[in-house]
Amino acid sequence: MDEFSFINAIKPNTYNQPALIKGIGDDAAVFRSTSDIVTTVDTFVEDIHFSLETMAPFHIGYRILAANISDLAAMGAEPAFYLVSMCIPKKWKQSALEEIYQGMHELASMYQMDLIGGDTVSSERLMISITAMGYVPENKARYRSHAEPNDIVFATGTLGDSRAGLEILLQGQECKDKDYYIERHRLPNPRVALASGLCEIDRVALNDISDGISSEANEIAEASNVELTIIEEKIPVSNSFQQFSKEQQYDWKLSGGEDFELLGTVSEVHWPRVQEIAVQTDTPIQQIGYVREAEEPCVLIQTHGETKKLMKSGYTHLK
Amino acid sequence: MDEFSFINAIKPNTYNQPALIKGIGDDAAVFRSTSDIVTTVDTFVEDIHFSLETMAPFHIGYRILAANISDLAAMGAEPAFYLVSMCIPKKWKQSALEEIYQGMHELASMYQMDLIGGDTVSSERLMISITAMGYVPENKARYRSHAEPNDIVFATGTLGDSRAGLEILLQGQECKDKDYYIERHRLPNPRVALASGLCEIDRVALNDISDGISSEANEIAEASNVELTIIEEKIPVSNSFQQFSKEQQYDWKLSGGEDFELLGTVSEVHWPRVQEIAVQTDTPIQQIGYVREAEEPCVLIQTHGETKKLMKSGYTHLK
């Protein structure tokens, strides 16, 4: 691979963000902001976090950037910039690498996000690390520590779809809505519009569902020092999700992860307004539980009236 | 390695930057800035960019962060934040990894820089990617495209030392000032104080010397569309540098790289003031050449009155 022609191929010709002063081409990029700046980094390794067995290079790029944008959304931020660092094995062709960048670019352009920097080095295994940056209005960053007793707990979209898509790809099995599940796995859409829309609400606790709600709910409970109860029947799933076995449904919706939906809590007073904003931003949303004072922070799951403790791993045990 | 205890070990207990709103512990970090923001990413792979043969883990961390801070300095920026992404092989012990972070922390704390995010994944080979962010006063970012005809060309510090240190470590040879050269290789000091001090000067072109001045000078010439002449005898070197062979001296000072000094150009009118700022910030500085209008951008090197064309690689040929 010719590094020079590769960098020229992936370098943007134009930029979208008005705040950008200097993009790629100097020692560093420069931008200006009157909002608070949110920044996160996520690293992905071939055959650990993604595989050509289940995805084209385009999907790899799309999905990796989606994971980063989802972190920004979970902070209430609008995506603005990204930097990509790649370790590239010799066996990867330039055309396939360019496809990865096209996948990122496809998603980035939905948000007028600009690629403003990066680095490529050689390595045995493909590794991609993305630093994403976004804006949030002053003091409107959404923390997982902001849940309070008597909040309602909500989730967006449907859960478990990404994991279902992965299993379908790995097992090669036929099933209803096969393409839908596969797309949910390969091309997830972070909930940026809702997260931004919520900025008028004073207090919202938010996490994105990257590891499954069992993990995310526990993070909110711990950070906010509250008890969070999830009602299993209320966890939103796709219409044809019941075609999978009971064990799969339970496992995938609680711990499947990578749906990049949002899990949040908000006061009962603001819940009707949150639902309106969800309608305006075309975001399916559902109350799935409630928050209570805790002696020690924990997550409970109620199934047909029976309550168990839900661990980060998705494992449950009697209270 | 226990990931939880590792993250706890490297997570800062306190932060220094007043602009930081949220550090490590949520989906992303948040900060606020009234200055322009400069950001860069640099990736380093074991046995390509660094090796335990020539450095302790502490040096690896220090040097990698120095490379990033040097990029910020080359933009005229004050370092403020960094995020670290690491791919870690099983063979690396937690104590050695913590030492890498201690090396970064040692340098970071000189600038009150805060570690605000990161990611660790497993891999066959150690890979460290750092995203660094800093501030520069509005419209005072320093670009390599800002050189103009009749500027003087200057360099800070002494060049070739880092490469000399590396060779001493690899060959195990005895020589004068051995420890000095080794330290210059392992613990480079980016020229932040000078770069910040220069902010009162309207126009300065700057590059940091990471790949050697033959490469950096060509980047400035191309970006500014000028002809840049370097006078070989004026390139600053350490007192005992002449103990090395003529070929080594020539190669190391022009293409050794990783000295993390600054190469810049400034108008003759401002040169006296630049020298004063250099004295105030305790930065050795030296005029090494001048800028002229170019038919096509290039770098010339003058040795005892003879002028040759200097390529990016350090290779020279007759004009």
Side-chain angles (χ1 to χ4, degrees), chain B residues 61-100:
Chain B
Y62 190 104
R63 191 152 158 284
I64 285 175
L65 186 59
N68 271 275
I69 293 176
S70 184
D71 276 327
L72 296 181
M75 298 299 283
E78 295 258 13
F81 304 112
Y82 63 114
L83 300 92
V84 179
S85 174
M86 256 201 207
C87 296
I88 305 172
K90 281 205 188 77
K91 67 173 181 198
W92 274 77
K93 289 206 180 123
Q94 181 168 335
S95 57
L97 295 167
E98 286 177 23
E99 245 196 78
I100 294 178

Side-chain angles (χ1 to χ4, degrees), chain B residues 62 65-67 69-71 73 107 111 188-193 259-261:
Chain B
Y62 190 104
L65 186 59
I69 293 176
S70 184
D71 276 327
L107 183 62
Y111 304 105
N189 276 316
R191 295 295 186 183
V192 172
D259 286 311
F260 302 117
E261 296 293 345

Side-chain angles (χ1 to χ4, degrees), chain A residues 287-303:
Chain A
Q287 177 177 359
I288 63 163
Y290 48 84
V291 180
R292 281 197 188 141
E293 258 182 71
E295 276 177 44
E296 63 174 342
C298 68
V299 177
L300 305 177
I301 184 150
Q302 247 180 50
T303 308

Side-chain angles (χ1 to χ4, degrees), chain A residues 182-232:
Chain A
I182 290 176
E183 186 168 318
R184 287 276 289 163
H185 180 66
R186 287 177 169 166
L187 303 168
N189 276 314
R191 296 294 186 183
V192 172
L194 177 75
S196 300
L198 291 180
C199 86
E200 65 172 84
I201 311 283
D202 278 345
R203 180 184 60 77
V204 183
L206 274 188
N207 247 11
D208 71 315
I209 304 177
S210 46
D211 295 329
I213 51 167
S214 55
S215 172
E216 315 302 342
N218 271 288
E219 284 185 351
I220 291 176
E222 278 168 24
S224 300
N225 196 27
V226 294
E227 179 187 283
L228 215 138
T229 301
I230 292 170
I231 299 150
E232 195 202 326

Side-chain angles (χ1 to χ4, degrees), chain B residues 3 163 187 213 235 260:
Chain B
E3 201 188 332
R163 179 61 183 279
L187 303 168
I213 52 167
I235 297 175
F260 302 117

Side-chain angles (χ1 to χ4, degrees), chain A:
Chain A
M1 194 189 65
D2 170 22
E3 200 186 332
F4 186 75
S5 96
F6 176 57
I7 289 171
N8 264 332
I10 60 170
K11 202 168 86 171
N13 296 315
T14 55
Y15 293 99
N16 301 300
Q17 291 288 326
L20 187 67
I21 299 167
K22 182 82 184 176
I24 290 171
D26 214 295
D27 296 294
V30 186
F31 65 98
R32 187 171 297 166
S33 171
T34 51
S35 306
D36 289 350
I37 293 146
V38 179
T39 184
T40 178
V41 64
D42 242 328
T43 304
F44 303 84
V45 179
E46 186 175 5
D47 294 328
I48 296 177
H49 302 97
F50 62 84
S51 164
L52 284 174
E53 211 187 316
T54 55
M55 295 202 203
F58 182 92
H59 302 131
I60 294 170
Y62 190 104
R63 191 151 156 284
I64 285 176
L65 185 60
N68 272 274
I69 293 176
S70 184
D71 276 327
L72 296 180
M75 298 300 283
E78 296 258 14
F81 304 111
Y82 64 113
L83 301 93
V84 179
S85 173
M86 256 200 208
C87 297
I88 304 173
K90 282 204 188 77
K91 66 172 185 202
W92 274 78
K93 290 204 179 122
Q94 183 169 335
S95 58
L97 294 167
E98 286 178 23
E99 246 196 75
I100 293 178
Y101 278 87
Q102 279 153 19
M104 292 191 246
H105 183 257
E106 173 89 6
L107 183 62
S109 55
M110 289 184 204
Y111 304 106
Q112 285 77 51
M113 228 181 159
D114 289 324
L115 174 66
I116 59 166
D119 200 8
T120 55
V121 298
S122 62
S123 183
E124 286 87 6
R125 205 194 266 237
L126 186 66
M127 187 286 309
I128 308 171
S129 184
I130 297 186
T131 304
M133 278 176 270
Y135 303 127
V136 67
E138 269 198 25
N139 301 320
K140 283 295 172 69
R142 302 308 188 180
Y143 302 128
R144 53 184 67 153
S145 59
H146 280 179
E148 287 186 8
N150 303 318
D151 276 4
I152 70 103
V153 177
F154 64 83
T156 63
T158 48
L159 303 186
D161 292 349
S162 174
R163 179 61 184 277
L166 176 64
E167 293 292 331
I168 290 163
L169 284 162
L170 289 174
Q171 313 302 333
Q173 80 200 62
E174 284 308 315
C175 72
K176 211 179 153 197
D177 298 330
K178 182 177 162 178
D179 291 346
Y180 163 81
Y181 290 110
I182 290 176
E183 186 168 318
R184 287 276 289 163
H185 180 66
R186 287 177 169 166
L187 303 168
N189 276 314
R191 296 294 186 183
V192 172
L194 177 75
S196 300
L198 291 180
C199 86
E200 65 172 84
I201 311 283
D202 278 345
R203 180 184 60 77
V204 183
L206 274 188
N207 247 11
D208 71 315
I209 304 177
S210 46
D211 295 329
I213 51 167
S214 55
S215 172
E216 315 302 342
N218 271 288
E219 284 185 351
I220 291 176
E222 278 168 24
S224 300
N225 196 27
V226 294
E227 179 187 283
L228 215 138
T229 301
I230 292 170
I231 299 150
E232 195 202 326
E233 299 84 58
K234 294 205 168 171
I235 297 174
V237 292
S238 292
N239 287 330
S240 60
F241 198 66
Q242 60 189 20
Q243 70 185 305
F244 305 112
S245 78
K246 283 259 176 287
E247 291 71 27
Q248 285 175 325
Q249 286 182 54
Y250 190 83
D251 183 32
W252 296 353
K253 74 185 176 186
L254 283 170
S255 321
E258 296 185 336
D259 287 310
F260 301 118
E261 297 292 346
L262 293 174
L263 177 72
T265 90
V266 69
S267 73
E268 279 183 300
V269 176
H270 287 128
W271 174 232
R273 182 63 193 136
V274 169
Q275 288 171 290
E276 281 171 24
I277 296 166
V279 170
Q280 285 158 14
T281 57
D282 210 15
T283 314
I285 201 167
Q286 166 89 30
Q287 177 177 359
I288 63 163
Y290 48 84
V291 180
R292 281 197 188 141
E293 258 182 71
E295 276 177 44
E296 63 174 342
C298 68
V299 177
L300 305 177
I301 184 150
Q302 247 180 50
T303 308
H304 305 305
E306 193 190 17
T307 303
K308 287 181 177 175
K309 204 162 169 183
L310 179 66
M311 312 308 285
K312 265 195 182 174
S313 60
Y315 177 78
T316 55
H317 63 74
L318 293 174
K319 273 179 75 180

